[in-house]
Amino acid sequence: MVGQAQVLALVAALCAPVLGGLGAFWRPWVSIVGAFCAWVGSAVLFWGALVGAEAHLSLGRWVEVGTLVIDLDLRVDLLAATLLLGVHSVGLAAQLYAADFLRAQAARPLRLSSLLSASSALLFCADNYPLLLAGWALLGVGIHLRAGADYAERGTVGRIWVVLRSGDVLLLVGLVALCAQGQVDWAEGGGAAQWIGFCLLLAAVLRSAQFPWHFWLTRVRDPGVLLQAFCAGSAGIYLLLRTRGIWGSDAVLVYTAVAFGLVTALFGAAASLAARDVRPALAYAIASQLGLVLAAMALGDGRGAALHLAVIGVGMGLCLIGVAYLAQAEGAVWDPVVLGRWRRLLSLPFWAVVLGALTVAGIPPLAGAWSYGVLLAGLFTVGGPALWVGGCLLVCVAALCSLRLVFLIADAEEGEKPQAFRTPGGAAQTALIGLGGLAIFGGALGYPPGTGFLAAADGVVRWELLIGPGLAGLAGLLVAWLAYGDQPVDVDNEQKTSALRRMCEEGFYAEAAVRSVVGRPLLALARLARDADALLFELATVELGALGLRGAGWLLGRLQSGQVRFYAAVALLGVVVAFCYLAIT
Amino acid sequence: MDDHLLSLCIFLPLIGALVALLWGQVIWVHRLARGCAGIVALLGVYLVVRFDSNTQGAQFVERLDWIPELGVAYHLGLDGISLFPFALAALALFLALIVCRPARGEIAALLAVASAALGAFAARDLLLFYFCAEAAILPIFALLSRANGHPRAGLRMVFCGLAGGVPFLVAVGYLAVVHLRQTGQLSFDLADLQTLDLPPEVQSWLLLAFLLGLAVRVPLVPLHGWLPAVQRAASPAVMLVLTSAWLHLGAYGIMRFCPTLFPAAFGAWREPLAALATAAAVYGALLGLAQSRMRDWLVCATLSQMGWVVFGVCTLHVAGLQGSAVLLVGHGLVMSALLLLVGMLAERGVETPADFALGRAAPRLSGWLLLAALAAVGLPGTVLFAGEFLVLVAAFAVWGKFGLLILVAAVFHGVAGLRLVQRIVWGGEATGAAPGDMRWREAALIVPLLLCVLALGLKPGPVLDRVAGAVDQVLVAAGAVGERGAGE
């Protein structure tokens, strides 16, 4: 019975977004129905995985060439189910937000959101590498299109595509090598050459927006797109979790991943703290979280990575959707100091932001506290107290980033209600209440103690390790209150930007450097090749060839006349030369 | 009933072409031509469905002595490798006649080119193959000479075709003479010529002659000089037929003749040829980055994808050859869709990024354009990805990680295609006159093609099953049992 329910849920999680997306061509709200069905399916899968029931489904054979046999098999274990639930929750919320916010223009974003949900489901449910690659690439295309649907962000679209496409190809290189060696299913998990692991790692680094390729994510400005970009970024972490058997035993690769993760975590936090616009502040905070998860997952056992990604998705969803309504109340004003003026008039979005920030900060008893706890407990197991303390410090910094925004919003002077004032509609309210419920009831993941995610491998639950990150989050709350709380901000003075802030806003010029070193020379080379192509091949080969032929024709024309005889003579000459040569040799 | 199907497919368009030339009523000529092409396309589908993948060797065979004194036979037959190019050529003719101008000369030339191409794909006799392949030159010249503003495109193509055709003919003649010496009989039959005992040095020269004749058609860099001018001159309808009659014929010829007729030489020269194919794929994709017109990008995409096809053949691995066959099918379907879409865009005055947002003005058209472009850049789930994946697995199995260098092309190709489509679909601010959206008649042409692309991407089995037997025969003839064994 459980097995059948799991299979049905798997089909719903995979097919409902597709059908919803197709149905959106008829009526846009069908997409939301599809997303809701997918969410229900993923919730059932999560419940089943928690009680130890994995879902399997085989859709037949993809290719069979010699010994290379690749099936279209799907499997959902606890890791996949957790991420699936998180991504579908966030996806549903993003769709509700888009339907409410964009109204008449919501059809395209809703369809593309369905594509994102379906590709995420394919990625997380894939039982083998080619299917995983299909979900991965579709997810990349989906986020590219989702950003492209916003006509104001064309520059971002190009960046997203270049980075994600490069990651796709790196992943393809690694997976082709694995498949050629007979490792088709990720469950086989054998070792492989270092360069294969490096390809997979680099693909994951690109996809999960690690420094210096963070800009594809941090340049996104639309809150809904940013939320879905986070889901796409979490795919990079998921890939590394699945291929741990390939790269996890190689110290060079492990420390490379840790280096990427740590640098991104610290850089993202610094840039987030320096940002005045609430959108890049949250975008950098997302990048920082992805870096933290990468580093912790590479060093530790990675048990809590999926849970943490799902929880951060919920928390960031609350922050982004709430902030979007606060900012759009009077027009597109994204300064946290200014948008805080409407917090009493828009109490639901404001409290959603607070709840989301507290979740991301890991404040107990919200879900974030447990996810940080499980994530960092793995660090303690592998690296001892020093690593664990380092992880707690990063949690403190992450808490500071998210709670800074809350204090800036909360401390703004209240304004009077303007004439054009936009309040969230029923769909957006549902999204906020739903995500809030998940953040609160996610706190119940810790109960009963010692079960589910908190079940220790050795059966001994170390509560001090689980509670420690929560205390670090509280320390971050204290620091944020000391730094930003109860301090009215002088708007005029805040407009002055320091050199550090400018550098942070420019992403420490990493993007410009990449553009100068790679992008421009490559385009110049392409243009050069285009011009040379016309010159070299069209003129040199064809024209010179034609010139030669005309010359030969002029010579032969003395003897013959007429086109047919001319070509016959050329052919005859060729035959004679060839026979002469063969006769001589 | 199946005994004369191939002849029917070949001669029906030819008869249609003659009628088109002789009959004065253009409207009726157009209708008749469409009817002929529709029947041929349906027969092509019927052949694919009827093809028995469990049977080794050619099917639907027809054999008649043509010139017995010279050993030339009218020998037709289809195996797994020739089946799909044959069916695609029939389909391309039908699509071309749907969208072409109602002009008698153009209709007749299109029918004649397709007839010649169908004959070449079905030919089991080398001289018949050469005859059919070269017979297409005259109508192609006529088609391209009608294009305004590009009077020399046709001349270039004819020059390149003849320049490549001469060494090919010489090599074919030499093979027949050797067969006469070794067996006492003159024969141009492919099966007979595959049994010849040729010294490796002679094989190398003959392989070079064959490659010259075929690579100029594919075209492989640096023999592609004719393609950009032709692409600029030809209408989408003409390019549809040319793609199968010229480009696919070249790739098919390399796959069919080179490894089987000259196994030792091909084994020795396949690495340089693979390097050339890699260079072609990367070069085509790189050129695509600098294009600003959809039509020009299609040229670059074709250059790149044909490089992939030849690269797959060079692996002499079961996965590589099957991947090449799938790529050829995918290229035919995707390029047909893209060429039709380019024609639709041109009708609306959109070829370059313009001052209107096509995505808003024509959402259905831009949606299908996007899907076709994604399929062209090898998105997983589409048929080109299945082919590229198999070719890559084979390349890695044969050459290790150096075999994956061709993936550089995938990066450039993907970025170039989506960048251009993005600028067309999301470019501008909707200030100009909005172009109309896709009509139902247009959708009826595009949607089935793209559904085939998706269906074969998800389940390439129908192609792989039918190709498997012929690929095994090629590998046996090429003496590549090692790779075959590794594949199995």
Side-chain angles (χ1 to χ4, degrees), chain A residues 61-62 66-67 133-134 137 141 145 148 151 154 157 161 165 173 180 195 526 530 533 537-538 543 549 578 581-582, chain B residues 152 156 159 170 174 205 222 224 283 286-287 290 360 377 379 396 407 410 414 418 422 426 457-460 487-488:
Chain A
R61 184 144 292 171
W62 185 50
T67 51
L133 175 68
V141 169
L145 297 178
Y151 290 78
R154 284 199 296 275
V157 177
W161 184 237
R165 181 70 184 171
V173 171
W195 69 269
R530 179 189 59 186
D533 186 68
F537 292 111
E538 286 195 34
E543 296 296 334
L549 194 63
Y581 174 77
L582 291 172
Chain B
R152 299 174 72 185
R156 283 185 182 189
F159 162 63
V170 171
Y174 181 81
W205 282 107
H224 68 286
Y283 182 75
L286 183 66
L287 278 183
R360 280 185 183 147
V377 301
L379 182 79
F396 184 79
L407 270 173
L418 264 287
Q422 178 200 329
W426 289 294
L458 293 173
K459 284 274 180 186
E488 287 173 356

Side-chain angles (χ1 to χ4, degrees), chain A residues 29-308:
Chain A
W29 53 263
V30 180
S31 168
I32 296 173
V33 174
F36 179 72
C37 293
W39 182 84
V40 171
S42 54
V44 171
L45 286 170
F46 181 71
W47 168 76
L50 269 182
V51 299
E54 289 188 356
H56 294 265
L57 183 63
S58 180
L59 301 172
R61 184 144 292 171
W62 185 50
V63 293
E64 182 176 6
V65 178
T67 51
L68 180 68
V69 179
I70 300 173
D71 293 323
L72 297 172
D73 286 352
L74 304 169
R75 179 160 69 162
V76 181
D77 56 5
L78 184 58
L79 175 65
T82 308
L83 276 169
L84 201 58
L85 181 62
V87 166
H88 275 158
S89 304
V90 169
L92 179 59
Q95 292 210 25
L96 288 168
Y97 161 73
D100 183 64
F101 200 79
L102 300 172
R103 298 198 181 145
Q105 283 88 40
R108 178 182 283 269
L110 286 178
R111 286 196 294 267
L112 291 173
S113 298
S114 296
L115 171 66
L116 280 166
S117 296
S119 49
S120 302
L122 182 61
L123 171 75
F124 296 136
C125 300
D127 192 28
N128 56 38
Y129 291 129
L131 264 188
L132 187 144
L133 175 68
W136 172 281
L138 279 171
L139 191 57
V141 169
I143 196 67
H144 166 74
L145 297 178
R146 182 73 180 86
D150 182 355
Y151 290 78
E153 296 187 9
R154 284 199 296 275
T156 305
V157 177
R159 290 182 181 86
I160 291 177
W161 184 237
V162 171
V163 174
L164 298 188
R165 181 70 184 171
S166 306
D168 290 355
V169 172
L170 279 168
L171 180 60
L172 184 58
V173 171
L175 297 193
V176 162
L178 287 174
C179 289
Q181 291 172 355
Q183 288 188 47
V184 175
D185 295 346
W186 50 255
E188 290 168 3
Q194 189 185 47
W195 69 269
I196 297 176
F198 190 73
C199 284
L200 299 180
L201 176 63
L202 208 53
V205 162
L206 286 167
R207 176 56 68 93
S208 58
Q210 305 295 322
F211 184 87
W213 296 286
H214 59 283
F215 52 82
W216 79 260
L217 188 144
T218 55
R219 284 272 179 164
V220 174
R221 288 292 176 267
D222 180 76
V225 183
L226 193 51
L227 201 50
Q228 287 167 328
F230 167 74
C231 296
S234 62
I237 308 292
Y238 177 75
L239 172 72
L240 289 182
L241 284 168
R242 280 291 179 226
T243 55
R244 200 181 180 84
I246 292 166
W247 62 271
S249 54
D250 191 314
V252 174
L253 297 179
V254 168
Y255 287 114
T256 308
V258 172
F260 273 118
L262 272 181
V263 170
T264 309
L266 294 172
F267 164 75
S272 175
L273 286 172
R276 274 299 300 265
D277 189 323
V278 72
R279 294 168 299 177
L282 285 171
Y284 278 110
I286 287 174
S288 173
Q289 286 291 336
L290 288 169
L292 171 65
V293 176
L294 177 64
M297 185 265 300
L299 276 177
D301 55 11
R303 275 197 314 138
L307 175 65
H308 188 63

Side-chain angles (χ1 to χ4, degrees), chain A residues 556-573:
Chain A
L556 290 169
R558 300 292 156 193
L559 304 171
Q560 301 277 337
S561 64
Q563 262 196 342
V564 176
R565 273 177 289 176
F566 163 67
Y567 286 122
V570 171
L572 192 62
L573 193 64

Side-chain angles (χ1 to χ4, degrees), chain A residues 311-365:
Chain A
V311 169
I312 292 300
V314 170
M316 283 295 173
L318 282 166
C319 287
L320 284 164
I321 296 176
V323 154
Y325 276 99
L326 288 174
Q328 295 287 351
E330 195 184 8
V333 181
W334 296 96
D335 189 329
V337 178
V338 180
L339 62 85
R341 288 189 292 177
W342 322 118
R343 63 183 182 278
R344 288 195 195 283
L345 294 169
L346 293 168
S347 56
L348 181 65
F350 172 68
W351 286 109
V353 174
V354 173
L355 191 59
L358 290 173
T359 305
V360 174
I363 306 295

Side-chain angles (χ1 to χ4, degrees), chain A residues 395-407:
Chain A
V395 173
C396 184
V397 173
L400 181 61
C401 286
S402 57
L403 293 169
R404 165 183 168 261
L405 293 177
V406 171
F407 282 113

Side-chain angles (χ1 to χ4, degrees), chain B residues 53-427:
Chain B
S53 48
N54 295 319
T55 304
Q56 290 278 331
Q59 298 177 35
F60 316 106
V61 177
E62 293 176 45
R63 189 182 173 105
L64 284 172
D65 282 339
W66 184 17
I67 312 171
E69 297 79 10
L70 292 177
V72 184
Y74 176 75
H75 186 184
L76 303 178
L78 289 180
D79 62 4
I81 293 177
S82 55
L83 175 71
F84 289 100
F86 185 90
L88 280 172
L91 179 68
L93 173 66
F94 177 65
L95 294 174
L97 284 171
I98 293 286
V99 297
C100 76
R101 290 176 300 172
R104 280 196 309 152
E106 183 164 328
I107 291 168
L110 284 172
L111 286 164
V113 173
S115 172
L118 291 168
F121 284 125
R124 309 290 295 176
D125 183 284
L126 266 179
L127 203 63
L128 182 64
F129 172 85
Y130 173 79
F131 174 77
C132 290
E134 296 296 298
I137 287 181
L138 191 63
I140 285 175
F141 177 69
L143 280 171
L144 293 176
S145 299
R146 295 169 66 86
N148 295 326
H150 300 280
R152 299 174 72 185
L155 271 179
R156 283 185 182 189
M157 195 160 182
V158 169
F159 162 63
C160 290
L162 288 175
V166 171
F168 186 89
L169 178 64
V170 171
V172 169
Y174 181 81
L175 283 173
V177 171
V178 172
H179 189 267
L180 177 67
R181 277 191 200 154
Q182 291 185 0
T183 64
Q185 278 187 325
L186 203 56
S187 173
F188 291 91
D189 198 276
L190 184 60
D192 293 341
L193 298 181
Q194 281 174 0
T195 60
L196 292 179
D197 183 21
L198 294 166
E201 308 83 46
V202 177
Q203 283 194 28
S204 296
W205 282 107
L206 294 173
L207 175 67
L208 182 66
F210 264 66
L211 280 178
L212 267 177
L214 297 169
V216 76
R217 283 173 179 263
V218 171
L220 267 187
V221 174
L223 302 173
H224 68 286
W226 58 270
L227 184 61
V230 169
Q231 179 80 334
R232 278 192 288 271
S235 65
V238 174
M239 269 317 290
L240 272 169
V241 174
L242 278 189
T243 300
S244 61
W246 202 261
L247 283 74
H248 287 183
L249 196 60
Y252 161 75
I254 290 179
M255 198 186 299
R256 156 73 64 219
F257 304 130
C258 295
T260 55
L261 289 172
F262 320 111
F266 193 78
W269 285 96
R270 65 177 176 148
E271 272 97 4
L273 188 59
L276 188 65
T278 305
V282 174
Y283 182 75
L286 183 66
L287 278 183
L289 275 174
Q291 306 304 327
S292 59
R293 295 198 333 155
M294 195 74 194
R295 182 181 273 231
D296 295 341
W297 176 69
L298 286 190
V299 176
C300 304
T302 297
L303 265 181
S304 183
Q305 282 167 2
M306 286 295 124
W308 277 86
V309 173
V310 176
F311 182 77
V313 177
C314 292
T315 59
L316 279 185
H317 189 284
V318 61
L321 280 161
Q322 292 204 22
S324 286
V326 173
L327 276 175
L328 216 52
V329 175
H331 180 260
L333 292 172
V334 174
M335 278 299 143
S336 297
L338 276 171
L339 283 166
L340 290 172
L341 283 163
V342 164
M344 292 171 198
L345 289 173
E347 270 182 23
R348 291 161 172 79
V350 185
E351 283 199 61
T352 53
D355 275 339
F356 46 76
L358 191 70
R360 280 185 183 147
R364 283 196 298 274
L365 179 60
S366 55
W368 290 112
L369 176 68
L370 194 63
L371 182 58
L374 286 172
V377 301
L379 182 79
T382 60
V383 62
L384 281 173
F385 172 75
E388 287 178 4
F389 185 81
L390 289 174
V391 168
L392 285 172
V393 168
F396 184 79
V398 176
W399 293 306
K401 53 190 159 189
F402 293 107
L404 302 181
L405 280 177
I406 198 168
L407 270 173
V408 176
V411 180
F412 292 158
H413 191 42
V415 172
L418 264 287
R419 186 164 160 256
L420 188 59
V421 171
Q422 178 200 329
R423 286 164 65 190
I424 290 177
V425 173
W426 289 294

